[in-house]
C-alpha cells in the first residue's frame, strides 16, 4: 500500500542543505554541522532527520553519529518533536519542507529549544514543564475510581470553552518564546540519589516561573464543576513565587502556540482570579 | 504485603488506568515508558469510545447488543466472556472518565453527546471533539501525576524495557530496563509485571502508529517465553492521509458525522471534485451496503476502497491511489465543533481545507488485534470473575499484558471506538487481579536472591556492549527497516496470497539474519538512539515472522485476514431450487470452515523459530454466524442459516458444556 505513495510530481533529484546545531552531551560545547538531503514529495522536518540518521554523513562526506532528536506521533498531538526551526519554535512533524524552502530557499536551520537543558543535539530535558503541573495541582481530585455515576452536567458553551484549553500537549513552545522564562540547568552532585536529585531540582523549579501553559491549565481545571471545588488551592499555588506575577505580558506565548490556545485570555482570567483570591484571603484574616 | 510492588511497562491508556487503580488499591507502582507518558500513542486516537447509553437503550440497545456487534464485527474470533465483561462495564467507564474531567461534547441540555461508528446501527460513541484519545489520556495522566506527587507511583520516563526477569521456575520477578539518556542498564525487582506497550505498526514501516510502536516490548516478552496470539490479524484502517514519514489517521468519526466516500465514475476524471455532478459520482459503499452505508466495519471498508482503486481502476489520481472522503455538504460550524482536530491535521499536512474540498484518503496499517496471549476466569454468568488473578495474566506467572499488546478483545477485526474502551477496561481490571495475586503470594521480589537480577542485568549489558562493538561496514538498520516495511506491506495487509506470503516469510528470515550484521553509526554511551533503534529492529523479526506465518497457514477469510482463494462465493443463480441448493451448500462450507478455523492462532518461539498451534475459542454466549455484509444472496443464506439454528436449538448437541472454558488443544492445519 505504501507503494501507492510514489512521487507523482517530482522535478528530478533536488537537494537542500540542513544546518544543525549539535551538542554531544549536556556539558559539551555546541557546534554547527551541515548535511545535504535529497528532496522528496511531502517531506517534513522529521523525515529529513530520518534521512540524516540513515546516512549519518555530513556535507563534506565525514561520517558522524546520527543527529539525536525526539519524535513520536508525527501528527502534532504529542508535543515530542518541538525544536527551533528557521528561528521559530515549533513541531518538526508539522514543519513541511516545501513551505520552509519557499520562505528560505535551499537551507533549513535546526536548533534545540533554547530554554531547556540540552541532553544531546535536538533532545532537551523538559521535566520542569511537567513539574509546573504538579505544583499547580493540575488534576480533578475525585474521591476514587469506583462507579459513582456520571460527572456533573455541563453546557455546550462550557465544553466549547474548556476543550481548546485541554488540547495543550505540553510541548513547551510558549515557554521557549517567553522572555520571563529563563533556562535552568540543575547539575547532579556527586553521590546524590535519584530521589535526592529530583527533590533538589523540584525545589529550584518551584521558585521559578511556571509559564503560560500551566497558568492556562489552572483556568481549565478551575472551570470544571468538580475542579472548581478546590480552585483556591490552585490559585494559591499561582500566587506563590514563580507564579503569575512573573508574567511580563509580552504575549509571545499565544503567538507561537501550535494549538492556538487562547493563552493570554487564560492569563488575564488567572490574573483577575488570583487578585480576587488574595483580597478575600486578606479580608478574611 | 509491605515492600511489594508492581512494574507497569507503558504509559498509554491501559498502563495509566492500571497504575491509578493499583495506587488506589494501595499497591506501590513503578511505571516505565519510552516517552513521557503524556506523549504516548493513545493521543492519536480520535473518534471516541463506545458504550450503550440511555438514549440507545431506549432504542432497543443493550450491553448484550454491544457484545454482539463486537464479536460479529470481529468475526467471532475472540473469547466472549472478557468481551461481555467489557461491554457490561463500558457505561461505567465513560462515567468515570467524565468524572475525571474529560471534556466530552455535550448536547444542548448538557448531557454527553454521542455519534455513530462503524459496525453498529446505534449512536454509541462518546467523544471529545476529534481528539478523544488525547483527552482520555490527559485525564489519566492527571490522576497518575497526583499519585506520583504523593510518592505512590514512580515514573521512569525515557526508559526502554529490555525484558522480564524470570526465576528458575519460570515465574516473573521483575524486569531489566535501560535509561535512554545515560544508557544505564538496571534491573527492577517487581512482584508482578504488567506489559501495556501498545501496537507494533512500525513492523510495516509506515503506518498510522507513532514512532514508539515498534512492538519491541511485546516481542521481548514473547522471546522470554510468552505466547503470542492471532498475530496475523492486523487492522488496516480504511481512511488515512498518505505521507512520507507516516500515514496519518483520518478518523472514522468523519464518516460517523456524515462523511461520504466516493470516486468519479469516469476513471481519473480531471475535473475538480466539486464540478463532478452527483450522477457521475460513485458512492460505492452506500450502493453496495445500503444498511450500513459508509459505516460498514473497517475490514470491509478497507477492502472496498482498495478494490475500487486497484481492480476497478477508479482511483482519483493515477500515480497515487486514493478516494474522496467528502464532508463538504456538512455546515462548517458543525465540522469545527465535532471534527475540528482531525480537519486541522488534514489542513496542516496537506495544505487543503477539507471543509471546502473533499479529502483524498487511502487505507493504512492501523491496529494489531493480535498480541500477547492472556488468560481469564469465566464467571457463572458468562463474564469474568472480578479480581481473579488469572484475568489478563500471560502464560508466564506474575506477568500480565493489557491494552493493544494483548489479543483479548477484538478477534479478527476491531470495531471503531472499541479500542479506547478495551485499553481502559483491561487496565482497570488488571489492577484487582494483580492486587489479589500479591495478597496470595509469600515473600517479595526484592527478597529474591540478588544474583537473579544481577545475572539478568549482566546478560543485557553484554548484549548491548556487543552491539556497540560491531565492526563498521555492515548493514544499515534504518535501510533494513524500510525493506522490512515494504515486504510486510506488500504481502500481509489487505489482500493476502499464499505465494506472496511464502516468499515474504523467506525474505523476513533473510532480513533477520542481515539484521544480526548491523553496524552502528553511533558507538557512544550517551543518548544513543542508533543502538536503541537497532535493538527494536532486531526484535521486530520474531513478530513479523509470527504475522506472516500465521497469515500463510490460515487458509480462510476472517475479518481483516482476507485470502481471495478462500472466499466462499455468494448465491448468484436465478432458479429458485438451485438458489436454495447453493445456499445450503454455502452454509455447509461455512460450518466446515468454522469447525476448522474458528481458533486462536498461538505462536511460540522454539529455538528462535516461530511455531504455531491453534486453540478453541469460547463462543458460548453468541453462536458464530455468517458475516453477510454485502454478499450476493445474503437474505437467502441468512434464511437457511436461521432455519438450521432453529433446528439445532430443539436438539442441542450432546457433550457440550458451555460453562467451561475450552482447554487449549492444538489443531491440525490441513
Amino acid at each position: 500500500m505504501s507503494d501507492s505513495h510514489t512521487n507523482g510530481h517530482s522535478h528530478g533529484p533536488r537537494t537542500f542543505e540542513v544546518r544543525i546545531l549539535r551538542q554531544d552531551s549536556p556539558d559539551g560545547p555546541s557546534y554547527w554541522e551541515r548535511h545535504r538531503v535529497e528532496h522528496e514529495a511531502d517531506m517534513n522536518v522529521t523525515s529529513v532527520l530520518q534521512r540524516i540518521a540513515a546516512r549519518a554523513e555530513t556535507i563534506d562526506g565525514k561520517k558522524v553519529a546520527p543527529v539525536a532528536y525526539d519524535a513520536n506521533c508525527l501528527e502534532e498531538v504529542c508535543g515530542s518533536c518541538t525544536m527551533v526551526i528557521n528561528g521559530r519554535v515549533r513541531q518538526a512533524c508539522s514543519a513541511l519542507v516545501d513551505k520552509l524552502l519557499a520562505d528560505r530557499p535551499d537551507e533549513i536551520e535546526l536548533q534545540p529549544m533554547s530554554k531547556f537543558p540540552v541532553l544531546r543535539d535536538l533532545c532537551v530535558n523538559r521535566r520542569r514543564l511537567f513539574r509546573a503541573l504538579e505544583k499547580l495541582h493540575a488534576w480533578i481530585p475525585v474521591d476514587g475510581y469506583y462507579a459513582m455515576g456520571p460527572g456533573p452536567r455541563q453546557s455546550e458553551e462550557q465544553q466549547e470553552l474548556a476543550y481548546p484549553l485541554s488540547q495543550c500537549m505540553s510541548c513547551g513552545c510558549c515557554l521557549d518564546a517567553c522572555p520571563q522564562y529563563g533556562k535552568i540547568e540543575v547539575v547532579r552532585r556527586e553521590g546524590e540519589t535519584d530521589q535526592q536529585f529530583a527533590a533538589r531540582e523540584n525545589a529550584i523549579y518551584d521558585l521559578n516561573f511556571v509559564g503560560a501553559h500551566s497558568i492556562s491549565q489552572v483556568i481549565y481545571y478551575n472551570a470544571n464543576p468538580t475542579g472548581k471545588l478546590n480552585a483556591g488551592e490552585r490559585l494559591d499555588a499561582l500566587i506563590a513565587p514563580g507564579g503569575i506575577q512573573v508574567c511580563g505580558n509580552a504575549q509571545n506565548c499565544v503567538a507561537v502556540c501550535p494549538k492556538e490556545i487562547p493563552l493570554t485570555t487564560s492569563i488575564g482570567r488567572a490574573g483577575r482570579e488570583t487578585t480576587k483570591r488574595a483580597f478575600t484571603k486578606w479580608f478574611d484574616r | 504485603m509491605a515492600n511489594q510492588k508492581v512494574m507497569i511497562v507503558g504509559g498509554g491508556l491501559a498502563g495509566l488506568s492500571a497504575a491509578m487503580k493499583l495506587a488506589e488499591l494501595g499497591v506501590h507502582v513503578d511505571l516505565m515508558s519510552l516517552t513521557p507518558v503524556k506523549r504516548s500513542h493513545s493521543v492519536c486516537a480520535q473518534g471516541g469510545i463506545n458504550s450503550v447509553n440511555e438514549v440507545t437503550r431506549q432504542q432497543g440497545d443493550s450491553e448484550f447488543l454491544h457484545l454482539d456487534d463486537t464479536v460479529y464485527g470481529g468475526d467471532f474470533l475472540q473469547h466472549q466472556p472478557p468481551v461481555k465483561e467489557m461491554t457490561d462495564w463500558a457505561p461505567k467507564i465513560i462515567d468515570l472518565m467524565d468524572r475525571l474531567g474529560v471534556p466530552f461534547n455535550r448536547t444542548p441540555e448538557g448531557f454527553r453527546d454521542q455519534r455513530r461508528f462503524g459496525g453498529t446501527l446505534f449512536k454509541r460513541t462518546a467523544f471529545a471533539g476529534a481528539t478523544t484519545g488525547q483527552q482520555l489520556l490527559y485525564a489519566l495522566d492527571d490522576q497518575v501525576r497526583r499519585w506520583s506527587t504523593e510518592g505512590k507511583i514512580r515514573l521512569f520516563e525515557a526508559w526502554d524495557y529490555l525484558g522480564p526477569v524470570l526465576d528458575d521456575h519460570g515465574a516473573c520477578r521483575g524486569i531489566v530496563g535501560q535509561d535512554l539518556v545515560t544508557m544505564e542498564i538496571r534491573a527492577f525487582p517487581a512482584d508482578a509485571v504488567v506489559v501495556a506497550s501498545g501496537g507494533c505498526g512500525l513492523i510495516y514501516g509506515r503506518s498510522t502508529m507513532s514512532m514508539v510502536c515498534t512492538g519491541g516490548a511485546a516481542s521481548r516478552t514473547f522471546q522470554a517465553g510468552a505466547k503470542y496470539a492471532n498475530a496475523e490479524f492486523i487492522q488496516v484502517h480504511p481512511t488515512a492521509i498518505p505521507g512520507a514519514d507516516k500515514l496519518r489517521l483520518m478518523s472514522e468519526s468523519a464518516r460517523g458525522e456524515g462523511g461520504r466516500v466516493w470516486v468519479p465514475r469516469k476513471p481519473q476524471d480531471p475535473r475538480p471534485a466539486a464540478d463532478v455532478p452527483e450522477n457521475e459520482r460513485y458512492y460505492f459503499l452506500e450502493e453496495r451496503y445500503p444498511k450500513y452505508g459508509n459505516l460498514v466495519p473497517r475490514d470491509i471498508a478497507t477492502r472496498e476502497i482498495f478494490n475500487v482503486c486497484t481492480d476497478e481502476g477508479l482511483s482519483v489520481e493515477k500515480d497515487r491511489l486514493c478516494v474522496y472522503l467528502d464532508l463538504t455538504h456538512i455546515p462548517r460550524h458543525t465540522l469545527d465543533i465535532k471534527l475540528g482536530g482531525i480537519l486541522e491535521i488534514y489542513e496542516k499536512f496537506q495544505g487543503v481545507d477539507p471543509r471546502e474540498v473533499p479529502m483524498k484518503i487511502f487505507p493504512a496499517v492501523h491496529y494489531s488485534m493480535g498480541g500477547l496471549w492472556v488468560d481469564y476466569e469465566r464467571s457463572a454468568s458468562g463474564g469474568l470473575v472480578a479480581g481473579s488473578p488469572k484475568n489478563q495474566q500471560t502464560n508466564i506467572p506474575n506477568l500480565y499484558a493489557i491494552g493493544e499488546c494483548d489479543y483479548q478483545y477484538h478477534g479478527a477485526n476491531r470495531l471503531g471506538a472499541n479500542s479506547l474502551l478495551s485499553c481502559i477496561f483491561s487496565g482497570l481490571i488488571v489492577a484487582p487481579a494483580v492486587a489479589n495475586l500479591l495478597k496470595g503470594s509469600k515473600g517479595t521480589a526484592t527478597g529474591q536472591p540478588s544474583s537473579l537480577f544481577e545475572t539478568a542485568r549482566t546478560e543485557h549489558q553484554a548484549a548491548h556492549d556487543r552491539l556497540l562493538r560491531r565492526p563498521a561496514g555492515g548493514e544499515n538498520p534504518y535501510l533494513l527497516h524500510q525493506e522490512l516495511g515494504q515486504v510486510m506491506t506488500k504481502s500481509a495487509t489487505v489482500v493476502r496470497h499464499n505465494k506472496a506470503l511464502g516468499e515474504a516469510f523467506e525474505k523476513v528470515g533473510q532480513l533477520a539474519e542481515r539484521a544480526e550484521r548491523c553496524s552502528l553509526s553511533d558507538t557512544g554511551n550517551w543518548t544513543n538512539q542508533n543502538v536503541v533503534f537497532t535493538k527494536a529492529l532486531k526484535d521486530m523479526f520474531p513478530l513479523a515472522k509470527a504475522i506472516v506465518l500465521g497469515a500463510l497457514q490460515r487458509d480462510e477469510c476472517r475479518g481483516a485476514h482476507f485470502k481471495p482463494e478462500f472466499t466462499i462465493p455468494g448465491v448468484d443463480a436465478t432458479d429458485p431450487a438451485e438458489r436454495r441448493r447453493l445456499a445450503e451448500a454455502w452454509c455447509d462450507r461455512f460450518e466446515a470452515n468454522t469447525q476448522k478455523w474458528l481458533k486462536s492462532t498461538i505462536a511460540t518461539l522454539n529455538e528462535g523459530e516461530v511455531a504455531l498451534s491453534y486453540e478453541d475459542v469460547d463462543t458460548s454466549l453468541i453462536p458464530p454466524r455468517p458475516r453477510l455484509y454485502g454478499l450476493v444472496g445474503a437474505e437467502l443464506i441468512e434464511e437457511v442459516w436461521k432455519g438450521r439454528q432453529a433446528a439445532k436449538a430443539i436438539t442441542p448437541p450432546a457433550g457440550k458444556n458451555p460453562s467451561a472454558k475450552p482447554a487449549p488443544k492444538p489443531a491440525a492445519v490441513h
Side-chain angles (χ1 to χ4, degrees):
Chain A
M1 262 167 323
S2 63
D3 298 338
S4 73
H5 182 68
T6 47
N7 184 348
H9 29 74
S10 100
H11 311 285
R14 187 157 72 86
T15 63
F16 56 93
E17 262 184 59
V18 186
R19 227 158 61 88
I20 304 172
L21 188 63
R22 301 196 61 173
Q23 185 171 329
D24 298 343
S25 62
D27 49 0
S30 60
Y31 56 94
W32 288 98
E33 191 175 274
R34 288 175 3 176
H35 291 260
R36 185 173 293 285
V37 175
E38 226 167 82
H39 183 270
E40 295 166 37
D42 299 334
M43 262 187 144
N44 56 8
V45 167
T46 306
S47 57
V48 168
L49 288 163
Q50 288 173 342
R51 301 298 177 270
I52 288 175
R55 214 170 123 82
E57 192 181 295
T58 68
I59 204 161
D60 316 311
K62 191 176 134 204
K63 287 283 177 195
V64 290
V67 176
Y69 65 97
D70 283 320
N72 198 27
C73 78
L74 308 188
E75 52 195 58
E76 209 193 65
V77 281
C78 81
S80 295
C81 62
T82 312
M83 58 184 71
V84 178
I85 300 167
N86 284 358
R88 184 189 158 98
V89 66
R90 57 186 298 184
Q91 278 70 49
C93 65
S94 54
L96 305 183
V97 165
D98 288 345
K99 275 195 186 162
L100 294 171
L101 292 178
D103 295 344
R104 194 198 282 194
D106 300 324
E107 192 199 67
I108 294 172
E109 184 196 273
L110 307 179
Q111 300 180 61
M113 294 176 83
S114 62
K115 302 293 176 64
F116 297 96
V118 173
L119 296 167
R120 182 174 184 180
D121 298 335
L122 301 170
C123 299
V124 296
N125 176 359
R126 279 176 278 183
R127 212 180 70 79
R128 178 179 166 199
L129 184 161
F130 293 111
R131 173 61 193 171
L133 298 177
E134 291 179 0
K135 181 184 174 186
L136 298 174
H137 297 195
W139 54 73
I140 305 294
V142 292
D143 292 347
Y145 311 125
Y146 292 93
M148 306 288 286
R153 257 157 79 176
Q154 292 181 46
S155 68
E156 277 182 302
E157 191 189 7
Q158 171 160 15
Q159 193 273 345
E160 285 167 30
L161 278 174
Y163 181 70
L165 307 188
S166 74
Q167 282 186 295
C168 173
M169 56 186 179
S170 301
C171 66
C173 283
C174 59
L175 309 175
D176 219 58
C178 172
Q180 305 307 120
Y181 198 86
K183 182 172 181 170
I184 297 175
E185 195 149 7
V186 187
V187 180
R188 193 165 179 151
R189 290 178 186 147
E190 201 133 320
E192 210 168 26
T193 65
D194 288 357
Q195 285 86 348
Q196 287 165 340
F197 178 55
R200 191 165 60 86
E201 210 175 26
N202 285 347
I204 295 169
Y205 290 159
D206 288 352
L207 292 174
N208 288 278
F209 190 33
V210 291
H213 77 109
S214 55
I215 297 173
S216 184
Q217 290 297 293
V218 167
I219 295 304
Y220 171 66
Y221 291 102
N222 283 6
N224 177 284
T226 311
K228 208 175 260 172
L229 303 178
N230 57 337
E233 257 175 46
R234 295 189 199 93
L235 292 176
D236 288 344
L238 212 45
I239 305 170
I244 189 166
Q245 68 283 2
V246 184
C247 171
N249 202 26
Q251 310 204 3
N252 292 1
C253 50
V254 72
V256 297
C257 176
K259 296 284 126 181
E260 295 173 30
I261 298 170
L263 293 168
T264 42
T265 312
S266 288
I267 292 172
R269 276 184 65 185
R272 289 190 296 277
E273 283 173 29
T274 46
T275 307
K276 216 161 66 190
R277 171 84 179 162
F279 271 112
T280 325
K281 282 182 91 170
W282 192 82
F283 281 116
D284 287 352
R285 273 202 301 193
Chain B
M1 177 178 273
N3 299 325
Q4 283 182 320
K5 58 182 159 190
V6 174
M7 171 60 87
I8 297 174
V9 178
L13 289 178
L16 295 182
S17 51
M20 74 174 194
K21 187 69 192 174
L22 276 164
E24 180 181 54
L25 296 173
V27 178
H28 181 89
V29 175
D30 286 344
L31 191 153
M32 179 174 285
S33 166
L34 285 166
T35 178
V37 294
K38 195 172 179 177
R39 311 200 191 289
S40 300
H41 177 60
S42 301
V43 293
C44 290
Q46 300 172 340
I49 176 166
N50 285 338
S51 84
V52 56
N53 53 67
E54 287 319 310
V55 176
T56 66
R57 209 183 284 286
Q58 292 164 64
Q59 294 165 342
D61 196 12
S62 64
E63 283 82 351
F64 187 81
L65 283 183
H66 185 189
L67 160 69
D68 187 82
D69 279 337
T70 304
V71 297
Y72 182 59
D75 229 344
F76 293 92
L77 196 61
Q78 60 273 67
H79 294 302
Q80 293 175 359
V83 184
K84 177 185 190 301
E85 194 71 22
M86 173 176 83
T87 55
D88 283 351
W89 272 56
K92 289 183 274 185
I93 286 176
I94 296 177
D95 281 349
L96 172 62
M97 298 313 296
D98 187 11
R99 283 172 52 224
L100 298 185
V102 174
F104 286 113
N105 278 52
R106 298 283 158 174
T107 66
E109 201 182 327
F111 292 108
R112 290 188 304 253
D113 200 2
Q114 270 103 17
R115 62 179 157 218
R116 202 185 125 208
F117 251 63
T120 180
L121 299 172
F122 293 107
K123 283 189 172 182
R124 275 197 202 115
T125 309
F127 60 100
T131 61
T132 313
Q134 180 191 40
Q135 299 307 319
L136 295 171
L137 184 83
Y138 288 1
L140 296 174
D141 175 59
D142 291 347
Q143 296 302 314
V144 167
R145 178 174 303 112
R146 180 180 171 207
W147 289 106
S148 94
T149 55
E150 292 175 26
K152 303 283 171 53
I153 296 176
R154 281 197 305 171
L155 294 176
F156 293 86
E157 295 175 318
W159 279 76
D160 192 11
Y161 158 86
L162 299 180
V165 176
L166 306 187
D167 68 14
D168 293 344
H169 308 288
C172 180
R173 298 294 180 184
I175 68 159
V176 176
Q178 180 165 33
D179 185 324
L180 296 177
V181 176
T182 66
M183 308 312 284
E184 175 200 354
I185 294 177
R186 196 192 293 179
F188 294 81
D191 296 277
V193 170
V194 183
V195 179
S197 57
C200 57
L202 259 70
I203 291 176
Y204 285 83
R206 290 178 301 150
S207 69
T208 65
M209 288 194 219
S210 297
M211 302 304 284
V212 294
C213 303
T214 62
S219 176
R220 288 160 197 173
T221 309
F222 176 45
Q223 291 172 63
K227 297 194 279 189
Y228 197 88
N230 291 346
E232 66 268 34
F233 292 94
I234 297 284
Q235 178 162 84
V236 179
H237 194 286
T239 60
I241 317 163
D245 54 334
K246 186 188 188 188
L247 310 171
R248 294 177 180 84
L249 177 65
M250 179 45 59
S251 169
E252 192 166 301
S253 55
R255 283 172 287 140
E257 294 297 345
R260 304 177 74 187
V261 176
W262 62 279
V263 287
R265 291 192 188 270
K266 182 178 153 204
Q268 290 85 52
D269 194 324
R271 289 173 291 183
D275 296 347
V276 178
E278 197 65 21
N279 63 353
E280 292 180 39
R281 298 177 176 199
Y282 184 17
Y283 294 97
F284 52 97
L285 291 176
E286 295 171 32
E287 281 192 24
R288 295 177 195 178
Y289 304 93
K291 187 169 166 196
Y292 287 87
N294 291 289
L295 288 172
V296 283
R298 288 181 174 176
D299 54 331
I300 290 167
T302 294
R303 270 198 296 282
E304 292 292 354
I305 292 171
F306 192 79
N307 283 343
V308 100
C309 290
T310 55
D311 295 356
E312 298 169 43
L314 291 175
S315 169
V316 171
E317 289 182 19
K318 188 163 173 287
D319 299 319
R320 190 173 78 154
L321 301 183
C322 56
V323 302
Y324 286 128
L325 171 52
D326 197 342
L327 295 167
T328 58
H329 55 286
I330 303 170
R332 229 186 146 82
H333 180 71
T334 311
L335 291 176
D336 285 339
I337 297 297
K338 295 192 167 175
L339 298 172
I342 54 172
L343 302 185
E344 276 158 29
I345 289 176
Y346 190 86
E347 204 167 1
K348 229 161 207 169
F349 288 91
Q350 298 300 106
V352 176
D353 183 354
R355 301 164 195 85
E356 302 291 335
V357 179
M359 296 182 278
K360 292 176 187 172
I361 55 91
F362 196 69
V365 167
H366 180 56
Y367 190 89
S368 169
M369 273 76 70
L372 293 165
W373 179 92
V374 291
D375 204 356
Y376 61 87
E377 187 172 347
R378 192 187 196 280
S379 72
S381 61
L384 300 187
V385 174
S388 166
K390 273 187 166 185
N391 295 339
Q392 304 290 143
Q393 190 164 204
T394 69
N395 56 306
I396 297 177
N398 309 343
L399 181 58
Y400 291 75
I402 54 173
E404 187 174 345
C405 77
D406 82 36
Y407 89 119
Q408 188 88 297
Y409 297 94
H410 307 294
N413 171 59
R414 175 173 70 73
L415 291 190
N418 260 356
S419 63
L420 298 182
L421 177 62
S422 64
C423 284
I424 299 174
F425 170 71
S426 57
L428 291 177
I429 64 157
V430 83
V434 165
N436 286 333
L437 174 90
L438 264 49
K439 266 183 214 155
S441 68
K442 301 182 205 86
T444 64
T446 34
Q448 293 285 316
S450 61
S451 60
L452 177 68
F453 300 104
E454 189 44 30
T455 307
R457 199 203 72 79
T458 317
E459 276 169 18
H460 284 289
Q461 186 72 56
H464 174 77
D465 296 343
R466 271 199 304 280
L467 252 185
L468 290 184
R469 283 197 305 269
R470 286 274 321 145
E475 297 282 352
N476 181 326
Y478 303 101
L479 300 183
L480 278 182
H481 179 229
Q482 281 178 23
E483 277 194 58
L484 174 66
Q486 282 158 6
V487 172
M488 294 299 293
T489 303
K490 222 172 138 189
S491 66
T493 48
V494 185
V495 180
R496 299 166 172 194
H497 297 278
N498 279 344
K499 187 164 173 287
L501 287 164
E503 287 162 11
F505 189 68
E506 274 192 25
K507 183 82 182 156
V508 170
Q510 290 160 8
L511 289 171
E513 282 171 27
R514 284 169 59 193
E516 293 303 313
R517 301 192 293 273
C518 275
S519 290
L520 299 191
S521 45
D522 185 354
T523 54
N525 252 327
W526 185 264
T527 320
N528 185 338
Q529 297 180 332
N530 189 226
V531 70
V532 172
F533 180 80
T534 305
K535 282 181 198 177
L537 171 72
K538 287 167 64 158
D539 291 324
M540 286 181 195
F541 293 103
L543 293 190
K545 286 178 183 174
I547 293 169
V548 177
L549 192 63
L552 178 62
Q553 291 204 10
R554 184 176 281 275
D555 281 337
E556 67 154 353
C557 296
R558 188 174 297 281
H561 173 71
F562 180 71
K563 278 187 177 174
E565 297 142 76
F566 297 93
T567 49
I568 310 179
V571 174
D572 53 3
T574 45
D575 172 58
E578 177 63 5
R579 281 174 65 78
R580 169 67 62 172
R581 195 190 64 78
L582 287 175
E584 292 284 354
W586 196 100
C587 290
D588 290 344
R589 269 187 79 178
F590 176 81
E591 284 194 82
N593 188 70
T594 302
Q595 196 67 28
K596 184 168 175 186
W597 282 116
L598 182 55
K599 293 179 196 303
S600 314
T601 313
I602 308 291
T604 50
L605 271 181
N606 199 349
E607 293 181 7
E609 286 312 311
V610 174
L612 299 185
S613 60
Y614 295 86
E615 212 175 87
D616 284 343
V617 178
D618 183 341
T619 56
S620 55
L621 303 173
I622 300 174
R625 63 181 187 273
R627 232 165 146 237
L628 297 168
Y629 302 103
L631 190 73
V632 181
E635 300 78 16
L636 184 60
I637 294 172
E638 195 175 359
E639 189 190 309
V640 170
W641 180 259
K642 281 187 174 157
R644 289 186 181 195
Q645 292 307 106
K648 270 186 198 163
I650 300 164
T651 49
K656 274 238 167 174
N657 178 6
S659 67
K661 189 190 165 188
K665 72 167 186 223
V669 178
H670 291 290

